Amino acid sequence: MTVRFGVIGTGAIGREHINRITNTLSGGRIVAVTDVNQKAAREVVETFGLDAVVYPDDTSLIADTNVDAVLVTSWGPAHEGSVLKAIDAGKYVFCEKPLATTEEGCMRIVEAEMKHGKRLVQVGFMRRYDSGYVQLKDALDRNEAGEPLMIYCAHRNPDVDEKYTTDMAITDTLVHEIDVLHWLVNDDYQSVQVIFPKRTKRALDHLRDPQVIIFETKTGMHISVEVFVNCKFGYDIQCEVVCEEGTLKLPDVSGVVMKKEGRQGSTLLMDWKRRFIDAYDKELQDFMDSIQASGEPQGPTAWDGYIAATTADACVRAQQSGQRETIASADKPDFYA
Amino acid sequence: MTVRFGVIGTGAIGREHINRITNTLSGGRIVAVTDVNQKAAREVVETFGLDAVVYPDDTSLIADTNVDAVLVTSWGPAHEGSVLKAIDAGKYVFCEKPLATTEEGCMRIVEAEMKHGKRLVQVGFMRRYDSGYVQLKDALDRNEAGEPLMIYCAHRNPDVDEKYTTDMAITDTLVHEIDVLHWLVNDDYQSVQVIFPKRTKRALDHLRDPQVIIFETKTGMHISVEVFVNCKFGYDIQCEVVCEEGTLKLPDVSGVVMKKEGRQGSTLLMDWKRRFIDAYDKELQDFMDSIQASGEPQGPTAWDGYIAATTADACVRAQQSGQRETIASADKPDFYA
Amino acid sequence: MTVRFGVIGTGAIGREHINRITNTLSGGRIVAVTDVNQKAAREVVETFGLDAVVYPDDTSLIADTNVDAVLVTSWGPAHEGSVLKAIDAGKYVFCEKPLATTEEGCMRIVEAEMKHGKRLVQVGFMRRYDSGYVQLKDALDRNEAGEPLMIYCAHRNPDVDEKYTTDMAITDTLVHEIDVLHWLVNDDYQSVQVIFPKRTKRALDHLRDPQVIIFETKTGMHISVEVFVNCKFGYDIQCEVVCEEGTLKLPDVSGVVMKKEGRQGSTLLMDWKRRFIDAYDKELQDFMDSIQASGEPQGPTAWDGYIAATTADACVRAQQSGQRETIASADKPDFYA
Amino acid sequence: MTVRFGVIGTGAIGREHINRITNTLSGGRIVAVTDVNQKAAREVVETFGLDAVVYPDDTSLIADTNVDAVLVTSWGPAHEGSVLKAIDAGKYVFCEKPLATTEEGCMRIVEAEMKHGKRLVQVGFMRRYDSGYVQLKDALDRNEAGEPLMIYCAHRNPDVDEKYTTDMAITDTLVHEIDVLHWLVNDDYQSVQVIFPKRTKRALDHLRDPQVIIFETKTGMHISVEVFVNCKFGYDIQCEVVCEEGTLKLPDVSGVVMKKEGRQGSTLLMDWKRRFIDAYDKELQDFMDSIQASGEPQGPTAWDGYIAATTADACVRAQQSGQRETIASADKPDFYA
């Protein structure tokens, strides 16, 4: 059986997923597309040689009985509406982050999905599919180094464009750590504090960069995440978990070690896409495989999307207040246990 | 367009490729299978839910006009016959190593392919698709460390079964280095010498293990390869190229670094399949993609299969003689340039 | 010329320094010793075969005209008195930490030394002599990675004895980072906050362990130091400086890399003495050499001892208050520039 | 007690040892010097402010009853004579390599020392004192990875001056591996073969560079040593021992890890002196300490000097013959067990 996808939003990310499903992965096919820019939608069909209907809007695309699953890759504010319609139609949804732009919007999706009665939605938090994080998660789940007490992370980009604002350090960048860390250690966020160290001269004037976000979890774990989006030297993702019996560190990307001119070392990635390219492939393949195997996607859920939203909200408040802010997420429903 | 495969040989490797094409990769489909054990062939169709015809032999399978490409995964001595028939029928061939069990057999395939007039055959030397070797090749091709002078390799397995004999260290194990090294440095093998160091007590009595194989290339490069198939500690592939301006080392597989109980370190693979699993996927995907893109496979050629055969022959002679043996390969035809 | 030492305090650390000067280093000689336990002092003379006078107290030892320099290795509360007497007598002083147990005591020493008119005192902060920190300092001074913005440190011990209390995490453990970090980046501490993560079950009940101490410097740098004294796995000192153009990391202690039983890695030190044994040798050799070369010790000064005291005081207040505490050190006199 | 040294040869190495004994180490003093260039000898006394007699020749220096030990740092061909005279006078000898320039000369020293009845001579093979090799030796002696089967080494210099000839790759460079490897694995050399790979264009015309020297030991171990003295990129010493249960690798020199401009890595040493500076200190300190503790030096013996000579001779023969050459050392006398 093939999963037949309708794609809502044929911008850059949408096209990448279309290419992935069409030319790299197994078990899926694009049968419908839509975009607010209809011309773009038609061009995508041509470019990738798709046998797909171009719809005028998400509503008509979702209504197509040939569409098994919807890929939501429109701009953020449009996500909630499309996801709710898809759930209403009983269609599977793979939704890029954010699930919705507000906590309340995420909760509406959660409630709709619970009302529907089985999981339909997977959120595009691809790090859970990165082989490094998977190995780290395995080691933690096997309790190899004892109970985790502290986590140190860094999320560093060489640079960002001028549209990137101080709060986007949370909503666009930190959001990946927000998702992956609570999954790693099976814990919930309790409170957050944001520290603004000395600014780098390499950032544009309107941007506070770097930032250090410090979480406390419900069980008392200490988590420190550096977000540094003008670090210049590379795209660098670090994560170390300090446990009661030892420490566990996310593997670095391996590369050819060269000795030359008095130095030894290897290249760093400059581009986030290459860092997680395998994870992007795996999250979509898993979405298709788990739908076929169990009738439900097994990846990050609508609830994880809700947690990301409430946590990010508190982080932005902490940026503004300079104080420790409480993260008041609702209790996790059994539905998502 | 979909590449329609006929599979000759549904043993372990055949089934893995069938699974890969059916459930992981994009652009291929199994439409026919055969095996000397017809029952096994039928079971494979059922297991993987294939829409495929079961043929009594390779001849009838190759004759099926629905078959675009043949996957040769039968036992070694049968390869040559199937490959020659496929070429004769103008079908594409993906053939697991060895291309043929003799130098002469390989040459007959080379000549048949040249007579046919375009490349049809790809040999299953997957290391060329491993991201580590690809990075190493890129660095060499960019001349990052100057001209290569020496290469040190190790090919270590935790253990082997009792059927593994001293010459299989060449034909089953070293053969991967034989293929990948001349590709890495664009050079040809000139002569070879085999040294038998002190035997490990962990090998069975009939087996000389470890072995060190020392090549000289046509341009004078020194290559040393350790084959150690009862090394116990892990599956470990090493390759370092010493050049005029510096050295380049194949990246190790990265893993979670743990500090615990007075040690820091990471796990090693114990299983060769996991080491090259991505490379197996990529070689077949590339076979399909390049056929579709250019009408010819772009991977290791029948000529590479011939080079592997002549080189392995000389290595086995060197095992027996204790002397430096000349590797008398024919000159490379322009067809394979 | 030989520096003739009088040693005040012949406990464990005193004996190590006596051994060092007598049997390892060049240019020094022990000519006098004293200890509140006179028997211990006499035994030391015998054990090391010293040609040294045993004095009843620090006053008489300092008065000995044969004594060029005083080594203060008595218990902490006695340091201030001995140091002040030595300065009064115009003798050089090598004083183990703490210089004095109070901020006011350190300031009295600073003022006495300034009044004397040249530097006499070196405080035993040995990390500045560790080759790793020296390399890190060199890289920072050469501005190799641009201006420093953030520092992440960890100070981990396998375990501590039952006398170790929560405030000793500051005064005994963190004090080494307090000294070495402001020296590394030529900055001063502005404020401090202490976070108590989830306690390890491996600590005794009276001890909060681990702790995370977060500094802001005068120029706005962010510094995070984990103190974890029951980490079990090893003695582990980490320091990474994130700068505007790149990052610089304190080298790990190198060790034999072993591959065995599916793992590769190296041993960690379990014992802090081995980690800094070379630094202990070098600090005393430098004390002697610089006195001979320039007439003044060149190592950590009485002012550094004062900074350590005021900073540690603020850290202990921050442990108790749970708030960010200001570090109100006096302005650095030109004398120590 | 202080070891009183007479120094024969006040060239570069002689001056370094004089400086070491005078200003760095403990327990030694220079009381006499001589050099064929008497002016140089007098200048050394002045430069280092020595209280030392300048003698016209080795004979008169050795005869000085104030001289306990002789430091032989003259040019190679003069070593044998000075060492024999010192043994004859019952003086301790620290002799830089070579002990003598011929196998026969070394044997004469061995026989003289045995006749004297206790060890007097230590040869300046400093690598045995390098902390990396010491750790490797400890791991091998504890049998951590099982019985050693193969060793891979590299000895790389950035460049050499024009006086450096092809045979000096053996006598000046490889000689350090010759000494340290048989000590590491407690084995003796059986035969040797030399391979000349493709020449680097960076070497002067008269020099074959690099070279690969391949030993077989008496127990059958395989040892491969690359000597590459125009490698350009750094001073690089590698040694990996492959054993029955695992591998053990000489630690690399650790340095600050920098991430910058798309690369991560650390600096390499360019200068051999810095690589083994601690080992030079330790070998002389051990010479003095062991004389004082046991009346005999404990370092590399005259026998080790003999083994180095016979092995180097065979290597030079193998350079010339292109054949495997037998290394015909005498059996080790019990005196050196």
Side-chain angles (χ1 to χ4, degrees), chain A residues 35-47:
Chain A
D35 195 281
V36 289
N37 180 344
Q38 288 278 299
K39 183 153 167 286
R42 285 190 300 270
E43 282 172 5
V44 158
V45 170
E46 193 170 344
T47 303

Side-chain angles (χ1 to χ4, degrees), chain D residues 6-8 32-34 55 57-64 67 70 91:
Chain D
V7 179
I8 299 171
V33 300
T34 187
Y55 281 100
D57 55 29
D58 60 348
T59 307
S60 51
L61 178 140
I62 289 166
D64 183 341
V67 169
V70 173
K91 302 285 171 94

Side-chain angles (χ1 to χ4, degrees), chain C residues 22-26 132 135-136 144-145 245-249 251-252 254-261 278 285, chain D residues 22-26 132 135-136 144-145 245-249 251-252 254-261 278 285:
Chain C
T22 307
N23 296 320
T24 306
L25 306 178
S26 180
Q135 289 177 62
L136 189 52
E144 287 205 0
E245 313 294 329
T247 69
L248 297 165
K249 192 174 172 307
D252 278 322
S254 65
V256 167
V257 175
M258 180 165 66
K259 298 182 184 178
K260 190 181 173 186
E261 293 174 354
D278 285 346
Q285 188 69 59
Chain D
T22 308
N23 296 318
T24 305
L25 305 178
S26 180
Q135 289 177 62
L136 189 52
E144 286 205 1
E245 313 292 329
T247 70
L248 297 165
K249 191 173 172 305
D252 279 322
S254 66
V256 167
V257 175
M258 181 164 66
K259 298 182 184 177
K260 190 180 172 186
E261 293 174 353
D278 286 346
Q285 187 70 61

Side-chain angles (χ1 to χ4, degrees), chain C residues 102-121:
Chain C
T102 64
E103 183 181 328
E104 295 74 21
C106 289
M107 186 49 90
R108 279 188 289 269
I109 290 170
V110 161
E111 286 170 351
E113 187 177 46
M114 289 200 291
K115 192 173 156 200
H116 177 78
K118 75 168 185 177
R119 288 192 206 173
L120 296 173
V121 178

Side-chain angles (χ1 to χ4, degrees), chain A residues 1 37 61-62 64 66 116 149 201 210 214 233 238 240-241 253 304 313 337:
Chain A
M1 201 197 85
N37 180 344
L61 178 141
I62 289 166
D64 183 341
N66 281 327
H116 176 79
L149 305 174
K201 293 186 292 288
I214 296 176
F233 69 84
Q238 299 292 323
E240 183 168 31
V241 186
V253 176
D304 294 315
D313 280 0

